[in-house]
Amino acid sequence: MIAARPGDLLYSPMQITFRPFTRDDLPEFRAWFLDAELSRRLSFPSDQWLAYVTAGDAARCWMALAAGQAVAEVQVNQENSERGYLDLAVRPDLRGRGVGTAVLSAFQSGPGKAYQVLEGRITPDNVASIACCRRCGFTILPELDAEGFIQAIYRRSRDC
Ligand SMILES: CC(C)(COP(=O)(O)OP(=O)(O)OC[C@H]1O[C@@H](n2cnc3c(N)ncnc32)[C@H](O)[C@@H]1OP(=O)(O)O)[C@@H](O)C(=O)NCCC(=O)NCCS
């Protein structure tokens, strides 16, 4: 058997499926926040957060699965009927092996189709997140926004 090496791509977008995040996912998702990189990038998933992402259309959240295992979490906060703000967390032990790119690509052709525009607001030092968005066809705006974030924007063409 050949051992997986850093840099190997684990999954193709076609192997990724999504299901709505539920309370049953909280223990596992919270355990991911023992990882320092994830916990400095995203807010800890509190009970209030769970209520927010499961209550209605203002925000939605999915677990991304591959081979029956949770491999990433995707959240979209909907600003209006067109635009959603995207957050993505890859299970920490799977980072840097193409999972983020596969999940984001699968999301764009899956649940993300509900949004005309998907936008990521990324801290400038988050090289992996910027590269992941770029790889998935997001436009990276050259100027920081008013709060110092890089804006990565994916605009769906009207006919797809
Ligand atoms: C950001 C994140 C979602 C990316 O997912 P990932 O599975 O680690 O990324 P991938 O392996 O698909 O790599 C995507 C790109 O980033 C690059 N990359 C990955 N890790 C990197 C690192 N540590 N440093 C520099 N580049 C990196 C890859 O080379 C690839 O670039 P390429 O397509 O030009 O070759 C993931 O690292 C993560 O969950 N980070 C913590 C939470 C977070 O920051 N979320 C985003 C908030 S805006």
Side-chain angles (χ1 to χ4, degrees):
M1 190 175 123
I2 300 169
R5 294 160 303 165
D8 287 347
L9 300 187
L10 285 183
Y11 303 112
S12 77
M14 290 179 65
Q15 293 173 284
I16 307 290
T17 58
F18 295 90
R19 63 168 166 71
F21 192 101
T22 69
R23 177 168 290 281
D24 290 345
D25 294 311
L26 259 189
E28 178 176 4
F29 187 44
R30 283 178 171 168
W32 297 3
F33 283 75
L34 293 171
D35 176 81
E37 171 67 7
L38 180 50
S39 71
R40 83 187 173 99
R41 297 293 184 192
L42 298 177
S43 303
F44 184 79
S46 63
D47 288 348
Q48 291 88 333
W49 170 85
L50 180 69
Y52 176 61
V53 298
T54 54
D57 289 339
R60 298 187 65 200
C61 187
W62 298 262
M63 270 302 202
L65 310 173
Q69 290 198 340
V71 297
E73 174 263 5
V74 181
Q75 178 179 341
V76 177
N77 297 334
Q78 186 145 12
E79 184 185 62
N80 51 40
S81 60
E82 284 225 316
R83 182 175 296 251
Y85 289 98
L86 181 74
D87 265 332
L88 171 61
V90 167
R91 204 176 82 202
D93 61 308
L94 298 177
R95 275 201 307 261
R97 298 174 63 187
V99 173
T101 304
V103 167
L104 185 52
S105 174
F107 187 76
Q108 288 169 297
S109 53
K113 282 174 126 174
Y115 306 94
Q116 189 63 34
V117 180
L118 282 171
E119 178 170 337
R121 300 176 76 229
I122 308 171
T123 49
D125 70 335
N126 197 340
V127 181
S129 186
I130 296 164
C132 187
C133 287
R134 183 178 282 123
R135 177 68 64 186
C136 290
F138 283 63
T139 300
I140 311 298
L141 298 193
E143 307 287 343
L144 301 183
D145 72 11
E147 289 160 79
F149 290 103
I150 287 183
Q151 291 169 275
I153 297 180
Y154 179 76
R155 194 176 296 276
R156 186 172 298 283
S157 64
R158 291 273 170 198
D159 52 0
C160 63

